[in-house]
Short mmCIF file of all heavy atoms in Angstrom, two decimals:
data_model
loop_
_atom_site.label_atom_id
_atom_site.label_comp_id
_atom_site.label_asym_id
_atom_site.label_seq_id
_atom_site.Cartn_x
_atom_site.Cartn_y
_atom_site.Cartn_z
N MET A 478 123.82 144.82 39.77
CA MET A 478 122.83 143.81 40.21
C MET A 478 122.22 143.13 39.00
O MET A 478 121.63 143.78 38.14
CB MET A 478 121.76 144.52 41.05
CG MET A 478 120.80 143.55 41.72
SD MET A 478 121.61 142.47 42.89
CE MET A 478 120.81 140.93 42.51
N ASP A 479 122.36 141.85 38.94
CA ASP A 479 121.82 141.07 37.83
C ASP A 479 120.39 140.66 38.15
O ASP A 479 120.13 139.99 39.15
CB ASP A 479 122.72 139.83 37.66
CG ASP A 479 122.27 138.96 36.49
OD1 ASP A 479 121.22 139.28 35.89
OD2 ASP A 479 122.93 137.98 36.20
N PRO A 480 119.42 141.08 37.35
CA PRO A 480 118.01 140.74 37.65
C PRO A 480 117.74 139.24 37.64
O PRO A 480 116.87 138.76 38.36
CB PRO A 480 117.23 141.47 36.55
CG PRO A 480 118.21 141.84 35.50
CD PRO A 480 119.55 141.92 36.16
N ASN A 481 118.49 138.51 36.83
CA ASN A 481 118.31 137.05 36.81
C ASN A 481 118.73 136.44 38.14
O ASN A 481 118.11 135.53 38.66
CB ASN A 481 119.12 136.43 35.68
CG ASN A 481 118.53 136.77 34.31
OD1 ASN A 481 117.32 136.91 34.20
ND2 ASN A 481 119.37 136.91 33.33
N ASN A 482 119.81 136.98 38.69
CA ASN A 482 120.30 136.51 39.98
C ASN A 482 119.25 136.77 41.06
O ASN A 482 118.99 135.94 41.92
CB ASN A 482 121.61 137.23 40.31
CG ASN A 482 122.32 136.63 41.50
OD1 ASN A 482 122.12 135.46 41.80
ND2 ASN A 482 123.11 137.42 42.17
N MET A 483 118.60 137.93 40.99
CA MET A 483 117.56 138.30 41.94
C MET A 483 116.41 137.30 41.86
O MET A 483 115.87 136.88 42.88
CB MET A 483 117.08 139.72 41.60
CG MET A 483 116.09 140.27 42.61
SD MET A 483 116.79 140.38 44.26
CE MET A 483 115.59 141.42 45.05
N GLN A 484 116.06 136.93 40.64
CA GLN A 484 114.97 135.98 40.44
C GLN A 484 115.31 134.64 41.09
O GLN A 484 114.47 134.01 41.72
CB GLN A 484 114.73 135.80 38.94
CG GLN A 484 113.34 135.28 38.63
CD GLN A 484 113.02 135.35 37.14
OE1 GLN A 484 113.93 135.39 36.32
NE2 GLN A 484 111.77 135.36 36.79
N MET A 485 116.55 134.24 40.94
CA MET A 485 116.99 132.98 41.56
C MET A 485 116.86 133.05 43.07
O MET A 485 116.45 132.11 43.72
CB MET A 485 118.44 132.67 41.18
CG MET A 485 118.55 132.06 39.78
SD MET A 485 120.27 131.76 39.31
CE MET A 485 120.74 130.51 40.51
N ARG A 486 117.21 134.19 43.63
CA ARG A 486 117.10 134.38 45.08
C ARG A 486 115.64 134.22 45.52
O ARG A 486 115.36 133.57 46.52
CB ARG A 486 117.57 135.78 45.47
CG ARG A 486 119.03 135.99 45.30
CD ARG A 486 119.77 135.83 46.62
NE ARG A 486 121.20 135.76 46.36
CZ ARG A 486 121.88 134.63 46.33
NH1 ARG A 486 121.31 133.49 46.59
NH2 ARG A 486 123.16 134.64 46.06
N MET A 487 114.74 134.82 44.76
CA MET A 487 113.33 134.74 45.11
C MET A 487 112.85 133.28 45.06
O MET A 487 112.08 132.85 45.90
CB MET A 487 112.49 135.60 44.14
CG MET A 487 112.71 137.10 44.32
SD MET A 487 112.49 137.69 46.01
CE MET A 487 110.72 137.47 46.21
N GLN A 488 113.34 132.55 44.07
CA GLN A 488 112.97 131.14 43.96
C GLN A 488 113.49 130.36 45.18
O GLN A 488 112.80 129.50 45.70
CB GLN A 488 113.53 130.55 42.66
CG GLN A 488 112.71 130.97 41.45
CD GLN A 488 113.31 130.52 40.13
OE1 GLN A 488 114.39 129.95 40.11
NE2 GLN A 488 112.62 130.77 39.05
N GLU A 489 114.69 130.69 45.60
CA GLU A 489 115.25 130.01 46.77
C GLU A 489 114.38 130.26 48.00
O GLU A 489 114.11 129.36 48.78
CB GLU A 489 116.67 130.52 47.04
CG GLU A 489 117.70 129.89 46.13
CD GLU A 489 119.07 130.52 46.33
OE1 GLU A 489 119.32 131.09 47.40
OE2 GLU A 489 119.89 130.43 45.40
N ILE A 490 113.93 131.50 48.14
CA ILE A 490 113.10 131.86 49.29
C ILE A 490 111.77 131.11 49.21
O ILE A 490 111.30 130.57 50.19
CB ILE A 490 112.88 133.39 49.32
CG1 ILE A 490 114.20 134.08 49.69
CG2 ILE A 490 111.79 133.76 50.34
CD1 ILE A 490 114.17 135.57 49.44
N GLN A 491 111.18 131.06 48.02
CA GLN A 491 109.91 130.34 47.85
C GLN A 491 110.08 128.87 48.14
O GLN A 491 109.22 128.24 48.74
CB GLN A 491 109.40 130.54 46.42
CG GLN A 491 108.80 131.93 46.23
CD GLN A 491 108.53 132.25 44.77
OE1 GLN A 491 108.77 131.43 43.90
NE2 GLN A 491 108.05 133.44 44.51
N GLN A 492 111.20 128.32 47.74
CA GLN A 492 111.45 126.90 47.99
C GLN A 492 111.57 126.64 49.49
O GLN A 492 111.07 125.65 49.98
CB GLN A 492 112.74 126.47 47.27
CG GLN A 492 112.48 126.18 45.79
CD GLN A 492 113.76 126.00 45.00
OE1 GLN A 492 114.84 125.99 45.57
NE2 GLN A 492 113.64 125.88 43.71
N SER A 493 112.22 127.54 50.19
CA SER A 493 112.37 127.34 51.63
C SER A 493 111.01 127.45 52.33
O SER A 493 110.76 126.79 53.31
CB SER A 493 113.38 128.32 52.22
OG SER A 493 112.89 129.63 52.14
N GLU A 494 110.11 128.28 51.78
CA GLU A 494 108.77 128.39 52.35
C GLU A 494 107.97 127.12 52.12
O GLU A 494 107.24 126.67 52.98
CB GLU A 494 108.04 129.60 51.76
CG GLU A 494 108.48 130.88 52.45
CD GLU A 494 107.70 132.07 51.95
OE1 GLU A 494 106.92 131.94 50.99
OE2 GLU A 494 107.88 133.15 52.52
N SER A 495 108.10 126.54 50.91
CA SER A 495 107.37 125.31 50.65
C SER A 495 107.95 124.17 51.49
O SER A 495 107.23 123.26 51.89
CB SER A 495 107.40 124.96 49.16
OG SER A 495 108.70 124.66 48.74
N PHE A 496 109.21 124.23 51.79
CA PHE A 496 109.80 123.26 52.70
C PHE A 496 109.13 123.34 54.06
O PHE A 496 108.81 122.33 54.67
CB PHE A 496 111.31 123.51 52.85
CG PHE A 496 111.95 122.64 53.90
CD1 PHE A 496 112.23 121.32 53.63
CD2 PHE A 496 112.24 123.15 55.16
CE1 PHE A 496 112.80 120.50 54.60
CE2 PHE A 496 112.80 122.34 56.13
CZ PHE A 496 113.09 121.01 55.85
N SER A 497 108.87 124.55 54.52
CA SER A 497 108.17 124.75 55.79
C SER A 497 106.78 124.13 55.74
O SER A 497 106.31 123.53 56.70
CB SER A 497 108.08 126.25 56.07
OG SER A 497 107.30 126.50 57.21
N ASP A 498 106.11 124.28 54.59
CA ASP A 498 104.78 123.68 54.41
C ASP A 498 104.85 122.16 54.52
O ASP A 498 104.03 121.53 55.19
CB ASP A 498 104.22 124.04 53.03
CG ASP A 498 103.51 125.38 53.05
OD1 ASP A 498 103.24 125.89 54.15
OD2 ASP A 498 103.22 125.90 51.96
N VAL A 499 105.84 121.58 53.86
CA VAL A 499 106.01 120.13 53.87
C VAL A 499 106.30 119.65 55.28
O VAL A 499 105.72 118.67 55.75
CB VAL A 499 107.16 119.72 52.91
CG1 VAL A 499 107.49 118.24 53.09
CG2 VAL A 499 106.75 120.00 51.47
N LEU A 500 107.13 120.37 55.97
CA LEU A 500 107.47 120.02 57.35
C LEU A 500 106.21 120.05 58.22
O LEU A 500 105.97 119.14 59.01
CB LEU A 500 108.51 121.01 57.89
CG LEU A 500 109.09 120.70 59.26
CD1 LEU A 500 109.91 119.42 59.22
CD2 LEU A 500 109.98 121.85 59.73
N GLY A 501 105.40 121.07 58.02
CA GLY A 501 104.15 121.19 58.77
C GLY A 501 103.21 120.04 58.49
O GLY A 501 102.54 119.52 59.38
N LYS A 502 103.17 119.61 57.24
CA LYS A 502 102.32 118.50 56.84
C LYS A 502 102.75 117.21 57.52
O LYS A 502 101.93 116.44 58.01
CB LYS A 502 102.39 118.35 55.31
CG LYS A 502 101.26 117.54 54.72
CD LYS A 502 101.32 117.62 53.20
CE LYS A 502 100.23 116.76 52.59
NZ LYS A 502 100.26 116.82 51.13
N ILE A 503 104.05 117.01 57.58
CA ILE A 503 104.60 115.81 58.21
C ILE A 503 104.29 115.82 59.71
O ILE A 503 103.85 114.83 60.28
CB ILE A 503 106.13 115.73 57.98
CG1 ILE A 503 106.41 115.47 56.49
CG2 ILE A 503 106.76 114.63 58.84
CD1 ILE A 503 107.86 115.71 56.10
N LEU A 504 104.48 116.97 60.33
CA LEU A 504 104.31 117.07 61.78
C LEU A 504 102.86 116.93 62.20
O LEU A 504 102.54 116.34 63.21
CB LEU A 504 104.88 118.40 62.28
CG LEU A 504 106.41 118.52 62.22
CD1 LEU A 504 106.82 119.92 62.65
CD2 LEU A 504 107.08 117.50 63.13
N SER A 505 101.95 117.50 61.42
CA SER A 505 100.55 117.59 61.84
C SER A 505 99.64 116.61 61.10
O SER A 505 98.55 116.33 61.55
CB SER A 505 100.04 119.01 61.58
OG SER A 505 99.96 119.23 60.19
N GLY A 506 100.11 116.11 59.95
CA GLY A 506 99.26 115.28 59.11
C GLY A 506 98.24 116.09 58.34
O GLY A 506 97.38 115.55 57.68
N LYS A 507 98.33 117.41 58.42
CA LYS A 507 97.41 118.28 57.70
C LYS A 507 98.19 119.20 56.77
O LYS A 507 99.23 119.72 57.16
CB LYS A 507 96.63 119.16 58.70
CG LYS A 507 95.59 118.42 59.48
CD LYS A 507 94.84 119.43 60.33
CE LYS A 507 94.68 118.94 61.75
NZ LYS A 507 94.19 119.99 62.63
N ALA A 508 97.62 119.42 55.61
CA ALA A 508 98.24 120.37 54.69
C ALA A 508 97.98 121.79 55.17
O ALA A 508 96.93 122.07 55.71
CB ALA A 508 97.69 120.17 53.29
N GLY A 509 98.93 122.64 54.96
CA GLY A 509 98.73 124.05 55.27
C GLY A 509 99.07 124.42 56.69
O GLY A 509 99.09 125.59 57.03
N TYR A 510 99.35 123.41 57.52
CA TYR A 510 99.74 123.72 58.90
C TYR A 510 101.15 124.25 58.93
O TYR A 510 102.06 123.66 58.37
CB TYR A 510 99.62 122.46 59.75
CG TYR A 510 100.19 122.59 61.14
CD1 TYR A 510 99.45 123.17 62.16
CD2 TYR A 510 101.48 122.15 61.43
CE1 TYR A 510 99.98 123.29 63.43
CE2 TYR A 510 102.01 122.26 62.69
CZ TYR A 510 101.26 122.84 63.69
OH TYR A 510 101.79 122.95 64.94
N LYS A 511 101.33 125.38 59.56
CA LYS A 511 102.66 125.98 59.66
C LYS A 511 103.25 125.66 61.03
O LYS A 511 102.67 126.02 62.05
CB LYS A 511 102.57 127.50 59.50
CG LYS A 511 102.04 127.93 58.15
CD LYS A 511 103.17 128.20 57.19
CE LYS A 511 102.61 128.73 55.88
NZ LYS A 511 103.63 128.85 54.85
N PRO A 512 104.37 124.97 61.03
CA PRO A 512 105.00 124.70 62.32
C PRO A 512 105.47 126.00 62.96
O PRO A 512 105.90 126.92 62.29
CB PRO A 512 106.19 123.82 61.94
CG PRO A 512 106.48 124.12 60.51
CD PRO A 512 105.15 124.49 59.90
N VAL A 513 105.33 126.05 64.25
CA VAL A 513 105.77 127.23 64.97
C VAL A 513 107.28 127.12 65.19
O VAL A 513 107.74 126.25 65.90
CB VAL A 513 105.04 127.37 66.32
CG1 VAL A 513 105.56 128.60 67.08
CG2 VAL A 513 103.54 127.46 66.11
N ILE A 514 107.98 127.99 64.53
CA ILE A 514 109.44 128.00 64.67
C ILE A 514 109.82 129.14 65.60
O ILE A 514 109.49 130.30 65.35
CB ILE A 514 110.12 128.16 63.30
CG1 ILE A 514 109.75 126.97 62.40
CG2 ILE A 514 111.65 128.27 63.46
CD1 ILE A 514 110.11 127.18 60.94
N GLU A 515 110.47 128.78 66.66
CA GLU A 515 110.86 129.78 67.65
C GLU A 515 111.87 130.74 67.05
O GLU A 515 112.88 130.33 66.49
CB GLU A 515 111.47 129.08 68.86
CG GLU A 515 111.66 130.00 70.04
CD GLU A 515 112.30 129.31 71.23
OE1 GLU A 515 112.29 128.07 71.28
OE2 GLU A 515 112.83 130.02 72.08
N LYS A 516 111.55 132.02 67.14
CA LYS A 516 112.46 133.03 66.60
C LYS A 516 113.35 133.52 67.73
O LYS A 516 112.94 134.30 68.57
CB LYS A 516 111.67 134.18 65.99
CG LYS A 516 111.04 133.81 64.66
CD LYS A 516 110.38 135.01 64.01
CE LYS A 516 109.75 134.61 62.69
NZ LYS A 516 108.99 135.71 62.09
N ARG A 517 114.54 133.01 67.74
CA ARG A 517 115.48 133.41 68.79
C ARG A 517 116.09 134.76 68.49
O ARG A 517 116.38 135.53 69.35
CB ARG A 517 116.58 132.36 68.93
CG ARG A 517 116.06 131.10 69.59
CD ARG A 517 117.15 130.06 69.68
NE ARG A 517 116.57 128.76 70.04
CZ ARG A 517 117.19 127.62 69.90
NH1 ARG A 517 118.41 127.58 69.44
NH2 ARG A 517 116.62 126.49 70.24
N GLN A 518 116.34 134.97 67.20
CA GLN A 518 116.94 136.25 66.83
C GLN A 518 116.49 136.65 65.45
O GLN A 518 116.13 135.81 64.63
CB GLN A 518 118.46 136.17 66.91
CG GLN A 518 119.05 135.08 66.01
CD GLN A 518 120.53 134.88 66.30
OE1 GLN A 518 121.01 135.19 67.38
NE2 GLN A 518 121.25 134.37 65.34
N GLU A 519 116.50 137.93 65.21
CA GLU A 519 116.10 138.47 63.92
C GLU A 519 117.12 138.05 62.87
O GLU A 519 118.32 138.09 63.11
CB GLU A 519 116.05 139.98 64.03
CG GLU A 519 115.49 140.66 62.81
CD GLU A 519 115.55 142.17 62.94
OE1 GLU A 519 115.89 142.66 64.02
OE2 GLU A 519 115.26 142.84 61.94
N ILE A 520 116.62 137.62 61.73
CA ILE A 520 117.52 137.26 60.65
C ILE A 520 117.81 138.51 59.82
O ILE A 520 116.91 139.12 59.28
CB ILE A 520 116.91 136.16 59.76
CG1 ILE A 520 116.71 134.89 60.59
CG2 ILE A 520 117.80 135.88 58.56
CD1 ILE A 520 115.88 133.83 59.89
N LEU A 521 119.07 138.87 59.77
CA LEU A 521 119.47 140.03 58.99
C LEU A 521 119.78 139.60 57.57
O LEU A 521 120.31 138.53 57.34
CB LEU A 521 120.71 140.67 59.62
CG LEU A 521 120.50 141.21 61.03
CD1 LEU A 521 121.83 141.56 61.67
CD2 LEU A 521 119.61 142.44 61.01
N MET A 522 119.42 140.46 56.64
CA MET A 522 119.67 140.14 55.25
C MET A 522 120.42 141.27 54.57
O MET A 522 120.26 142.43 54.93
CB MET A 522 118.35 139.89 54.51
CG MET A 522 117.61 138.67 55.01
SD MET A 522 116.41 138.05 53.83
CE MET A 522 115.40 139.46 53.58
N CYS A 523 121.22 140.91 53.58
CA CYS A 523 121.92 141.90 52.77
C CYS A 523 120.90 142.74 52.02
O CYS A 523 119.98 142.21 51.41
CB CYS A 523 122.85 141.19 51.80
SG CYS A 523 123.66 142.31 50.66
N LYS A 524 121.08 144.06 52.07
CA LYS A 524 120.14 144.94 51.37
C LYS A 524 120.36 144.90 49.87
O LYS A 524 119.48 145.27 49.11
CB LYS A 524 120.31 146.38 51.88
CG LYS A 524 119.75 146.56 53.28
CD LYS A 524 120.11 147.93 53.83
CE LYS A 524 119.67 148.01 55.29
NZ LYS A 524 120.25 149.19 55.94
N MET A 525 121.53 144.48 49.46
CA MET A 525 121.84 144.43 48.03
C MET A 525 121.26 143.18 47.37
O MET A 525 120.59 143.26 46.36
CB MET A 525 123.37 144.44 47.82
CG MET A 525 123.98 145.80 48.00
SD MET A 525 123.56 146.96 46.69
CE MET A 525 124.59 146.31 45.36
N CYS A 526 121.54 142.02 47.94
CA CYS A 526 121.19 140.77 47.26
C CYS A 526 120.22 139.92 48.08
O CYS A 526 119.84 138.84 47.64
CB CYS A 526 122.45 139.98 46.92
SG CYS A 526 123.34 139.39 48.35
N MET A 527 119.81 140.43 49.25
CA MET A 527 118.82 139.76 50.10
C MET A 527 119.28 138.39 50.62
O MET A 527 118.48 137.55 50.97
CB MET A 527 117.47 139.60 49.37
CG MET A 527 116.89 140.92 48.88
SD MET A 527 116.73 142.16 50.17
CE MET A 527 115.27 141.56 51.02
N THR A 528 120.58 138.20 50.64
CA THR A 528 121.11 136.96 51.20
C THR A 528 121.05 137.02 52.72
O THR A 528 121.52 137.99 53.31
CB THR A 528 122.58 136.77 50.76
OG1 THR A 528 122.63 136.67 49.34
CG2 THR A 528 123.18 135.52 51.37
N PRO A 529 120.48 136.01 53.38
CA PRO A 529 120.52 135.99 54.84
C PRO A 529 121.96 135.88 55.32
O PRO A 529 122.73 135.08 54.78
CB PRO A 529 119.72 134.73 55.21
CG PRO A 529 118.98 134.35 53.98
CD PRO A 529 119.78 134.85 52.81
N LEU A 530 122.31 136.68 56.31
CA LEU A 530 123.68 136.66 56.80
C LEU A 530 123.90 135.44 57.69
O LEU A 530 123.00 134.97 58.36
CB LEU A 530 123.98 137.94 57.57
CG LEU A 530 123.78 139.22 56.75
CD1 LEU A 530 124.21 140.43 57.58
CD2 LEU A 530 124.57 139.19 55.46
N LEU A 531 125.13 134.93 57.64
CA LEU A 531 125.45 133.71 58.37
C LEU A 531 125.56 133.97 59.86
O LEU A 531 125.19 133.14 60.67
CB LEU A 531 126.77 133.13 57.86
CG LEU A 531 126.73 132.69 56.39
CD1 LEU A 531 128.13 132.29 55.94
CD2 LEU A 531 125.79 131.53 56.18
N ILE A 532 126.10 135.12 60.21
CA ILE A 532 126.26 135.45 61.62
C ILE A 532 125.67 136.84 61.87
O ILE A 532 125.53 137.64 60.96
CB ILE A 532 127.74 135.42 62.06
CG1 ILE A 532 128.58 136.37 61.19
CG2 ILE A 532 128.29 134.00 62.01
CD1 ILE A 532 130.00 136.55 61.67
N GLN A 533 125.30 137.09 63.11
CA GLN A 533 124.74 138.38 63.49
C GLN A 533 125.78 139.48 63.25
O GLN A 533 126.93 139.36 63.62
CB GLN A 533 124.36 138.38 64.96
CG GLN A 533 123.06 137.66 65.26
CD GLN A 533 121.85 138.46 64.79
OE1 GLN A 533 121.52 138.48 63.62
NE2 GLN A 533 121.19 139.13 65.71
N LYS A 534 125.34 140.55 62.62
CA LYS A 534 126.16 141.73 62.39
C LYS A 534 127.48 141.40 61.70
O LYS A 534 128.54 141.89 62.05
CB LYS A 534 126.36 142.49 63.72
CG LYS A 534 125.02 142.87 64.32
CD LYS A 534 125.07 144.16 65.11
CE LYS A 534 123.68 144.62 65.51
NZ LYS A 534 123.67 145.86 66.26
N GLN A 535 127.36 140.56 60.72
CA GLN A 535 128.47 140.26 59.81
C GLN A 535 128.91 141.57 59.14
O GLN A 535 128.08 142.37 58.77
CB GLN A 535 127.90 139.30 58.77
CG GLN A 535 128.89 138.59 57.90
CD GLN A 535 128.18 137.52 57.06
OE1 GLN A 535 127.29 136.84 57.55
NE2 GLN A 535 128.54 137.39 55.81
N LYS A 536 130.21 141.75 58.99
CA LYS A 536 130.70 143.03 58.47
C LYS A 536 130.46 143.19 56.98
O LYS A 536 130.18 144.28 56.50
CB LYS A 536 132.20 143.18 58.77
CG LYS A 536 132.46 143.60 60.20
CD LYS A 536 133.95 143.84 60.43
CE LYS A 536 134.21 144.22 61.88
NZ LYS A 536 135.65 144.33 62.15
N PHE A 537 130.61 142.09 56.26
CA PHE A 537 130.43 142.14 54.82
C PHE A 537 129.54 140.98 54.38
O PHE A 537 129.58 139.90 54.97
CB PHE A 537 131.78 142.02 54.09
CG PHE A 537 132.72 143.17 54.38
CD1 PHE A 537 133.63 143.07 55.41
CD2 PHE A 537 132.67 144.33 53.63
CE1 PHE A 537 134.49 144.13 55.69
CE2 PHE A 537 133.52 145.39 53.89
CZ PHE A 537 134.44 145.30 54.92
N CYS A 538 128.75 141.23 53.32
CA CYS A 538 127.94 140.16 52.75
C CYS A 538 128.85 139.11 52.12
O CYS A 538 129.75 139.44 51.35
CB CYS A 538 127.01 140.74 51.69
SG CYS A 538 126.09 139.48 50.81
N HIS A 539 128.62 137.85 52.45
CA HIS A 539 129.45 136.78 51.90
C HIS A 539 129.09 136.48 50.45
O HIS A 539 129.80 135.77 49.77
CB HIS A 539 129.34 135.53 52.77
CG HIS A 539 127.93 135.02 52.90
ND1 HIS A 539 127.04 135.55 53.82
CD2 HIS A 539 127.25 134.08 52.23
CE1 HIS A 539 125.87 134.93 53.69
NE2 HIS A 539 125.97 134.03 52.73
N GLU A 540 127.95 136.97 50.00
CA GLU A 540 127.52 136.75 48.61
C GLU A 540 128.06 137.81 47.67
O GLU A 540 128.70 137.50 46.68
CB GLU A 540 125.98 136.73 48.54
CG GLU A 540 125.36 135.38 48.73
CD GLU A 540 125.78 134.37 47.68
OE1 GLU A 540 125.75 134.65 46.48
OE2 GLU A 540 126.18 133.26 48.09
N CYS A 541 127.76 139.07 47.97
CA CYS A 541 128.08 140.14 47.02
C CYS A 541 129.20 141.05 47.53
O CYS A 541 129.68 141.89 46.80
CB CYS A 541 126.83 140.95 46.69
SG CYS A 541 126.23 141.97 48.04
N GLY A 542 129.59 140.89 48.79
CA GLY A 542 130.70 141.68 49.32
C GLY A 542 130.30 143.06 49.78
O GLY A 542 131.15 143.85 50.17
N LYS A 543 129.01 143.36 49.76
CA LYS A 543 128.52 144.66 50.22
C LYS A 543 128.81 144.85 51.72
O LYS A 543 128.58 143.93 52.51
CB LYS A 543 127.00 144.72 49.95
CG LYS A 543 126.27 145.83 50.66
CD LYS A 543 126.29 147.09 49.85
CE LYS A 543 125.42 148.16 50.54
NZ LYS A 543 125.72 149.51 50.01
N LYS A 544 129.33 146.03 52.04
CA LYS A 544 129.59 146.32 53.45
C LYS A 544 128.27 146.51 54.17
O LYS A 544 127.41 147.26 53.71
CB LYS A 544 130.47 147.55 53.58
CG LYS A 544 130.92 147.78 55.01
CD LYS A 544 131.81 149.01 55.13
CE LYS A 544 132.26 149.15 56.58
NZ LYS A 544 132.94 150.45 56.81
N MET A 545 128.11 145.82 55.28
CA MET A 545 126.87 145.92 56.04
C MET A 545 126.91 147.14 56.95
O MET A 545 127.94 147.48 57.51
CB MET A 545 126.68 144.66 56.91
CG MET A 545 126.56 143.37 56.12
SD MET A 545 125.00 143.29 55.21
CE MET A 545 125.59 143.58 53.55
N GLU A 546 125.74 147.76 57.06
CA GLU A 546 125.62 148.90 57.96
C GLU A 546 124.49 148.64 58.93
O GLU A 546 123.42 148.19 58.54
CB GLU A 546 125.34 150.18 57.16
CG GLU A 546 126.55 150.61 56.35
CD GLU A 546 126.21 151.75 55.38
OE1 GLU A 546 125.14 152.35 55.53
OE2 GLU A 546 127.03 152.00 54.50
N TYR A 547 124.75 148.87 60.19
CA TYR A 547 123.73 148.64 61.20
C TYR A 547 123.51 149.91 61.99
O TYR A 547 124.45 150.63 62.29
CB TYR A 547 124.19 147.51 62.15
CG TYR A 547 124.53 146.23 61.42
CD1 TYR A 547 125.84 145.90 61.15
CD2 TYR A 547 123.52 145.40 60.97
CE1 TYR A 547 126.16 144.75 60.46
CE2 TYR A 547 123.82 144.24 60.29
CZ TYR A 547 125.14 143.92 60.03
OH TYR A 547 125.45 142.77 59.35
N SER A 548 122.26 150.13 62.30
CA SER A 548 121.97 151.29 63.14
C SER A 548 122.46 151.01 64.55
O SER A 548 122.50 149.86 65.00
CB SER A 548 120.46 151.56 63.14
OG SER A 548 119.76 150.39 63.47
N ALA A 549 122.84 152.05 65.24
CA ALA A 549 123.38 151.89 66.59
C ALA A 549 122.35 151.27 67.51
O ALA A 549 121.17 151.57 67.43
CB ALA A 549 123.82 153.26 67.10
N GLY A 550 122.85 150.38 68.38
CA GLY A 550 121.95 149.80 69.36
C GLY A 550 121.65 148.43 69.09
O GLY A 550 121.84 147.44 68.86
ZN1 ZN T 218 124.86 140.80 49.40
#
């Protein structure tokens, strides 16, 4: 695991959060308003590199190739 790569991932996540802020500002005309995004399904992430998976219960991480493990049910 490359720590620099991890840092980049964190930046990507922060950027996506600020995008949400901008979207809220556009929708409401107010800063800091968070748009309500309907959560249809839980977003699963790779435990190794924290990459959000493209599809539910993907067998392998498309970023690092780590085999995904899911608890039964
Ligand atoms: Zn991964």
